[in-house]
């Protein structure tokens, strides 16, 4: 900026105002144009470190997701980056792969880089590390996860109980009387709420004393899901299956195709989340749609706007009914 100012015979402050878009209505249009033209010739780029020191901001948001290979989180990351860019911020990513120690390590890096806020999908066991964020008074929100010690305003999530309630009631409305659910074995609160919604609604709506609920470990997922589905369909004679996550859904649909189990003739299917891969299945799949874009926008806005940060909101899902069952049902209409 000094070189530009010297060459044009103007002050460094004036050059700074033009290049940073300040006081534009007070600056001579021709002078401003000369400054921009010369800056372009000199390949001028703003010094981000200097700008950060002056403004106490880095204009970056740190995003730690549970697992980048999960379609849900890759979609969320896309929408968060899109919203942050609109607000003049960049996003730096990290994937914890559901490992609390890896989560803590990435967290330390982001804090050291002085990001302006954090959006966190905290892995099971990683909630204890949130104290590090509180110690430095860094704005943060927890995405897709819930912890009892956190105020509702710090969480961006869906009504998991209600989502399962809608699924079970839809099966009932379509005449299915024996539903089984398959989920990951976990203590995460949001998935426990999803489980409670299924168990309680199945007991009430379908009159089942002991609803069929199966849990699998991530490391044995494919083999366990094959065993569970064959047992559920052939032995328990279930007529409907509810896959709790898209990861389970992908494995479950593969088993149904491999063993020629007709959908929905032999067993109806509902999957949580949508995925392009569902389209290659013989029948269009009914799925629970999460408002990913709206959730992402809210997460970014909570970081940047203290007033929005105070809001407490639980997002509703929508059941998109396709060939594997039938119509569109919105939680809010029930």
């Amino acid at each position: 900026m000094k070189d530009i100012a010297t060459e044009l015979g103007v002050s460094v402050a004036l050059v700074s105002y033009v290049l940073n878009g300040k006081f534009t209505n007070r600056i001579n249009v021709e002078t401003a144009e000369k400054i921009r033209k010369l800056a372009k010739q000199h390949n001028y780029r703003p010094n981000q470190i200097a700008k950060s020191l002056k403004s106490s901001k880095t204009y970056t948001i740190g995003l730690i997701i549970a697992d980048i290979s999960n379609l849900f989180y890759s979609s969320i990351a896309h929408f968060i980056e899109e919203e942050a860019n609109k607000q003049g911020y960049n996003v730096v990513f990290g994937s914890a792969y559901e490992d609390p120690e890896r989560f803590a390590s990435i967290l330390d890096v982001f804090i050291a880089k002085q990001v302006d806020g954090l959006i966190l999908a905290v892995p099971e066991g990683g909630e204890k590390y949130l104290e590090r964020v509180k110690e430095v008074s860094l704005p943060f929100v927890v995405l897709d996860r819930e912890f009892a010690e956190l105020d509702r305003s710090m969480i961006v999530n869906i009504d998991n109980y209600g989502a399962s309630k809608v699924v079970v009631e839809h099966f009932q409305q379509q005449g299915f009387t024996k539903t089984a659910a398959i989920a990951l074995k976990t203590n995460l609160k949001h998935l426990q709420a999803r489980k409670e919604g299924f168990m309680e609604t199945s007991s009430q709506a379908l009159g089942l004393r002991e609803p069929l609920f199966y849990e699998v470990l991530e490391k044995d997922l494919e083999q366990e899901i094959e065993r569970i589905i064959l047992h559920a369909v052939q032995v328990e004679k279930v007529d409907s299956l509810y896959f709790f996550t898209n990861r389970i859904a992908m494995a479950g649909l593969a088993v149904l195709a491999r063993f020629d189990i007709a959908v929905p003739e032999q067993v109806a299917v509902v999957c949580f989340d949508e995925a392009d891969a569902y389209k290659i299945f013989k029948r269009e799949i009914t799925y629970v749609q999460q408002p990913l874009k709206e959730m992402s926008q809210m997460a970014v806005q909570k970081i940047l706007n203290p007033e929005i940060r105070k809001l407490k909101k639980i997002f509703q899902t929508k059941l998109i009914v396709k060939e594997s069952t039938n119509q569109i049902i919105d939680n809010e209409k029930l």
Side-chain angles (χ1 to χ4, degrees):
M1 287 195 288
K2 287 180 181 178
D3 291 342
I4 294 169
T6 300
E7 191 166 339
L8 293 178
V10 298
S11 69
V12 175
L14 181 61
V15 174
S16 176
Y17 293 152
V18 171
L19 297 181
N20 288 290
K22 296 181 179 179
F23 309 117
T24 53
N25 60 329
R26 303 181 191 175
I27 300 172
N28 180 276
V29 175
E30 291 183 5
T31 302
E33 185 57 34
K34 287 179 181 178
I35 290 172
R36 294 192 193 95
K37 184 176 180 181
L38 195 55
K40 188 174 181 181
Q41 290 174 6
H42 284 290
N43 196 29
Y44 167 81
R45 293 290 183 275
N47 186 320
Q48 292 299 333
I49 295 175
K51 286 183 70 176
S52 297
L53 290 172
K54 188 174 181 179
S55 66
S56 298
K57 289 185 178 182
T58 60
Y59 293 94
T60 56
I61 295 173
L63 170 63
I64 303 180
I65 50 181
D67 186 352
I68 192 63
S69 65
N70 187 310
L71 294 172
F72 169 82
Y73 288 113
S74 57
S75 297
I76 280 283
H78 165 74
F79 289 125
I80 285 175
E81 185 173 42
E82 184 177 68
E83 179 63 21
N85 289 166
K86 287 180 184 176
Q87 305 297 331
Y89 282 73
N90 291 310
V91 178
V92 286
F93 300 88
S95 179
Y97 295 105
E98 299 292 0
D99 180 348
E101 298 306 318
R102 181 178 172 85
F103 171 79
S105 178
I106 299 170
L107 197 59
D108 287 342
V109 171
F110 285 173
I111 292 173
K113 287 185 176 293
Q114 298 182 322
V115 297
D116 297 322
L118 291 162
I119 299 173
L120 309 169
V122 186
E124 187 173 351
E127 62 272 21
K128 60 186 176 184
Y129 297 114
L130 293 178
E131 287 301 319
R132 299 183 184 182
V133 187
K134 295 177 183 177
E135 287 172 2
V136 294
S137 301
L138 193 60
F140 75 94
V141 294
V142 171
L143 179 69
D144 186 48
R145 302 290 161 99
E146 294 182 24
F147 300 99
E149 60 270 26
L150 289 180
D151 186 83
R152 178 68 245 177
S153 63
M154 302 173 73
I155 296 170
V156 177
N157 203 3
I158 61 166
D159 176 8
N160 280 282
Y161 184 101
S164 286
K165 180 176 183 289
V166 169
V167 171
V168 174
E169 290 178 345
H170 175 64
F171 279 138
Q172 181 191 34
Q173 290 164 9
Q174 297 302 314
F176 300 105
T177 59
K178 196 168 185 180
T179 301
I182 306 177
L184 283 173
K185 188 174 181 61
T186 178
N187 291 317
L188 286 170
K189 190 177 177 182
H190 72 294
L191 290 179
Q192 287 300 310
R194 199 174 296 178
K195 175 182 177 180
E196 289 169 11
F198 170 77
M199 299 294 280
E200 292 180 13
T201 310
S202 294
S203 296
Q204 297 164 7
L206 301 178
L208 300 176
R209 291 182 181 178
E210 295 183 15
L212 291 171
F213 185 81
Y214 301 96
E215 293 179 300
V216 298
L217 295 172
E218 180 70 38
K219 63 174 183 173
D220 304 318
L221 194 140
E222 278 82 8
Q223 301 94 314
E224 278 296 289
I225 286 180
E226 179 177 313
R227 180 187 65 78
I228 288 168
I229 289 178
L230 294 180
H231 175 80
V233 174
Q234 297 172 357
V235 179
E236 296 290 348
K237 304 299 181 183
V238 303
D239 58 10
S240 42
L241 285 171
Y242 174 25
F243 296 134
F244 259 43
T245 68
N246 58 45
R247 176 86 173 83
I248 288 172
M250 303 292 268
L253 292 175
V255 171
L256 295 174
R258 188 159 61 248
F259 288 89
D260 291 321
I261 298 172
V263 176
E265 292 81 4
Q266 283 179 265
V267 63
V269 172
V270 172
C271 300
F272 213 93
D273 288 331
E274 58 186 308
D276 286 340
Y278 295 169
K279 296 175 183 176
I280 66 173
F281 198 72
K282 291 180 181 178
R283 295 292 177 86
E284 286 189 289
I285 300 298
T286 297
Y287 62 91
V288 177
Q289 183 185 66
Q290 298 192 64
L292 302 186
K293 187 169 185 176
E294 291 81 1
M295 291 168 67
S296 302
Q297 290 172 337
M298 176 64 77
V300 173
Q301 289 164 11
K302 276 181 173 288
I303 293 296
L304 304 181
N305 189 325
E307 290 304 312
I308 294 178
R309 202 174 300 158
K310 299 174 185 177
L311 297 178
K312 298 180 181 181
K313 179 177 175 61
I314 298 176
F315 288 87
Q316 297 298 320
T317 58
K318 183 178 288 185
L319 187 64
I320 306 299
V321 182
K322 300 290 186 178
E323 289 181 314
S324 67
T325 53
N326 258 325
Q327 60 191 281
I328 295 184
I329 301 174
D330 195 322
N331 289 20
E332 294 174 331
K333 295 178 182 178
L334 292 179

